[in-house]
């Protein structure tokens, strides 16, 4: 009977450890996807922005904003560019 209890406790502990390890992987995956989408959108905005008369300079700050926030970050950069 003790073996069944030990087995159940081990399964619960294994489940909790796996759950705790998957959370940072989900956050990392979201940051990677946001970074890729933000970078692609920033390049597209600069490509078409040349024809419309505005560009967003790509530097460390714009890259961080676009990479961390993704599409909303690029929209923020566009609005910020028009406000200044």
């Amino acid at each position: 009977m003790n073996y069944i209890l030990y087995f159940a406790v081990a399964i619960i502990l294994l489940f909790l450890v796996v759950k705790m390890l998957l959370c940072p992987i989900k956050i990392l995956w979201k940051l990677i996807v946001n970074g890729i989408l933000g970078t692609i959108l920033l390049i597209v905005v600069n490509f078409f922005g040349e024809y419309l008369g505005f560009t967003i300079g790509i530097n460390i700050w714009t890259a961080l904003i676009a990479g961390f926030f993704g599409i909303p970050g690029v929209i923020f950069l566009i609005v910020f560019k028009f406000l200044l």
Side-chain angles (χ1 to χ4, degrees):
M1 187 66 176
N2 285 339
Y3 293 117
I4 295 173
L5 181 64
Y6 294 149
F7 182 73
V9 169
I11 293 294
I12 291 171
L13 286 175
L14 182 64
F15 175 75
L16 291 174
V17 168
V18 169
K19 191 80 164 165
M20 287 173 35
L21 290 176
L22 284 179
C23 186
I25 292 173
K26 288 180 185 178
I27 293 170
L28 181 64
W29 181 250
K30 185 176 181 181
L31 284 174
I32 290 171
V33 170
N34 277 346
I36 291 170
L37 288 176
T39 304
I40 291 171
L41 190 60
L42 194 59
I43 292 169
V44 168
V45 164
N46 278 334
F47 179 75
F48 289 112
E50 289 179 4
Y51 298 113
L52 299 174
F54 75 93
T55 58
I56 299 172
I58 299 177
N59 55 33
I60 187 70
W61 300 111
T62 58
L64 283 173
I65 290 171
F68 189 72
F69 294 111
I71 295 171
V74 175
I75 293 171
F76 167 76
L77 289 171
I78 293 169
V79 170
F80 189 72
K81 177 73 175 186
F82 280 122
L83 290 177
L84 289 180

